[in-house]
Amino acid sequence: MQPQIHETIPVEPRTVGTYPGAKIFGDARVRLMMALSVGMISLHFLLWAGIVLTRGRSWTELLTGWDSGWYLKIVQEGYTGQAWAFYPAWPLLLKFLNGFGLHPVIFGTFLATILYFGILALFAFMMRDAEAFEKQGLLPTRQIGWFLLIFSPASFAFHSNHTESLYLCLSLAAWIACVHERWLLAAVACGLAALTKNQGVLLAVSCALWVASMKPSLSEKVTRFLWFGLVSGSFFALFPLYQWLETGDPLRFLNVQSAWHPDISWASYFKGLVIQNPWQALSIGTLIHHVFFLVLLVGGGLLWRQNKFLSLYVFLFVLIEPMSGELVGTLRYGTVLVPVFFALGKLWRGPFMFPALALWLALNLAVTWNYGIGRWAY
């Protein structure tokens, strides 16, 4: 009787790329980014849960602080009075995408968090061509940059009823399009960003200059810049048009914003930088805002050698803040300046690195706590 011969079928070992999406999540940088993000969101909601349990605040009350309350007012009552100061993209999303019957503030928190993970997906997409995006300052060359971004002082805005997640999604889309020389996509993203925050106009100008610089001749550069401005401006023009139809004043939003600071002048601009305006008070909070303002400017300067257009955007973004005569919104507004945190990561080294990181984390948690208890946190 002949022995049976069993044929052995070789089995190839499964590699990282065998499973859908495994190539992305197999990247250590993506895992770090995701882990830090989950940690940040978990810490923040744990802090807020403690406030809800010990201070008698409901979740809706906690999440309706400051600008979140204005977005709620627009969703529920439409544009009236001082609500015209706020841009329409975010409240429109809250109004027309909330098919779950959730309270608008709760839905806004959910939507912002989903968009934040959309931001992480865009970063993961950029890592497929990491060298190109690192060269432009849009990915960190040192992984500490992720920590500085994700735990930036007011990163709670990424997962609460605020515009930061939407705005940063659109900003990243515009920058990715610029790197890939897709000017029309970049212009559309910038136009939508300009309907989200006033800094979207600055984003459009810097991206228009960026894509125009890719053309060889001066006439082609000017033509590309003008076409970019026409496309992005067409989206932004919808807001003044709506204001004109509703109120007869296409610049109603600017008039309302200026009424909040009636005594603003060039003198108050510079006095605000040195805490000399009569409405300013010297306090720890004021000093933190001013130090962070300087940190953002340093980051913008570091960017110049990598991408002068992003550097210009950062400088314009940061330098319009003192137009209100103070720097009280710097912590929140600076949250979306991604390239700044990545540039600062290159300097974050030496024997004081870990104590400095501990202070950075402590500031993040303190600002998040302040928002939870209804104290100013921008």
Side-chain angles (χ1 to χ4, degrees):
M1 185 174 178
Q2 301 230 345
Q4 293 183 347
I5 299 175
H6 297 278
E7 183 179 356
T8 302
I9 301 174
V11 178
E12 294 184 5
R14 289 186 179 270
T15 62
V16 169
T18 302
Y19 304 96
K23 285 185 177 179
I24 295 176
F25 290 102
D27 190 317
R29 295 169 298 179
V30 176
R31 293 199 301 270
L32 174 63
M33 177 180 69
M34 291 293 293
L36 288 173
S37 295
V38 171
M40 177 267 290
I41 294 172
S42 300
L43 276 173
H44 289 179
F45 276 103
L46 282 172
L47 275 179
W48 289 344
I51 291 170
V52 168
L53 291 172
T54 60
R55 301 212 171 195
R57 303 196 84 195
S58 67
W59 279 104
T60 52
E61 182 185 6
L62 186 151
L63 294 168
T64 310
W66 306 108
D67 286 5
S68 175
W70 284 104
Y71 300 131
L72 174 63
K73 181 180 176 65
I74 295 169
V75 170
Q76 293 180 331
E77 303 174 14
Y79 274 103
T80 58
Q82 294 186 339
W84 283 108
F86 294 87
Y87 287 70
W90 185 247
L92 281 176
L93 285 179
L94 296 186
K95 187 169 185 175
F96 293 108
L97 292 184
N98 187 5
F100 306 99
L102 296 174
H103 189 285
V105 168
I106 301 299
F107 178 72
T109 300
F110 172 76
L111 182 59
T113 306
I114 294 298
L115 287 170
Y116 176 73
F117 282 98
I119 291 168
L120 301 185
L122 288 173
F123 278 128
F125 172 80
M126 292 159 68
M127 288 179 197
R128 296 167 61 185
D129 190 9
E131 185 176 351
F133 287 100
E134 285 176 2
K135 183 179 178 181
Q136 300 295 338
L138 292 171
L139 282 178
T141 54
R142 296 185 69 231
Q143 302 314 308
I144 197 170
W146 291 120
F147 184 91
L148 299 180
L149 168 63
I150 293 167
F151 285 96
S152 56
S155 64
F156 73 87
F158 284 135
H159 58 79
S160 59
N161 186 35
H162 290 85
T163 57
E164 273 61 33
S165 285
L166 174 61
Y167 183 81
L168 186 50
C169 265
L170 293 168
S171 299
L172 287 176
W175 293 331
I176 291 170
C178 286
V179 171
H180 289 161
E181 301 185 30
R182 302 283 298 276
W183 75 269
L184 183 58
L185 177 59
V188 170
C190 288
L192 294 173
L195 289 172
T196 306
K197 294 172 73 74
N198 56 3
Q199 291 89 347
V201 174
L202 306 179
L203 178 70
V205 171
S206 61
C207 287
L209 291 170
W210 187 353
V211 297
S213 71
M214 300 173 185
K215 288 296 183 181
S217 68
L218 179 60
S219 61
E220 289 177 300
K221 292 178 190 295
V222 173
T223 301
R224 176 56 54 83
F225 181 85
L226 293 176
W227 273 111
F228 194 105
L230 179 63
V231 173
S232 58
S234 296
F235 281 88
F236 177 69
L238 294 173
F239 190 36
L241 175 62
Y242 175 69
Q243 293 171 84
W244 177 66
L245 293 173
E246 288 291 316
T247 70
D249 180 5
L251 300 180
R252 178 73 172 169
F253 69 116
L254 291 179
N255 294 329
V256 171
Q257 290 174 8
S258 62
W260 287 351
H261 307 283
D263 300 324
I264 295 306
S265 63
W266 281 111
S268 65
Y269 179 97
F270 291 105
K271 284 183 179 180
L273 295 175
V274 290
I275 320 177
Q276 292 300 306
N277 281 317
W279 54 84
Q280 290 179 288
L282 183 60
S283 64
I284 292 176
T286 301
L287 292 176
I288 289 173
H289 282 89
H290 277 68
V291 170
F292 190 63
F293 175 83
L294 293 175
V295 167
L296 294 176
L297 287 178
V298 169
L302 293 172
L303 270 173
W304 185 262
R305 296 180 69 179
Q306 284 183 279
N307 187 317
K308 57 182 176 292
F309 305 107
L310 285 178
S311 179
L312 174 66
Y313 168 66
V314 170
F315 283 131
L316 292 174
F317 192 111
V318 174
L319 291 173
I320 66 168
E321 173 68 12
M323 290 179 68
S324 63
E326 52 191 344
L327 302 176
V328 292
T330 309
L331 300 182
R332 175 191 164 194
Y333 298 144
T335 302
V336 297
L337 294 178
V338 166
V340 166
F341 301 112
F342 294 162
L344 290 172
K346 299 175 184 178
L347 299 181
W348 216 282
R349 58 178 79 234
F352 298 105
M353 182 180 73
F354 290 107
L357 286 179
L359 286 175
W360 189 261
L361 176 61
L363 176 60
N364 174 273
L365 296 178
V367 172
T368 304
W369 175 267
N370 282 348
Y371 184 77
I373 62 175
R375 191 178 295 163
W376 185 253
Y378 290 170

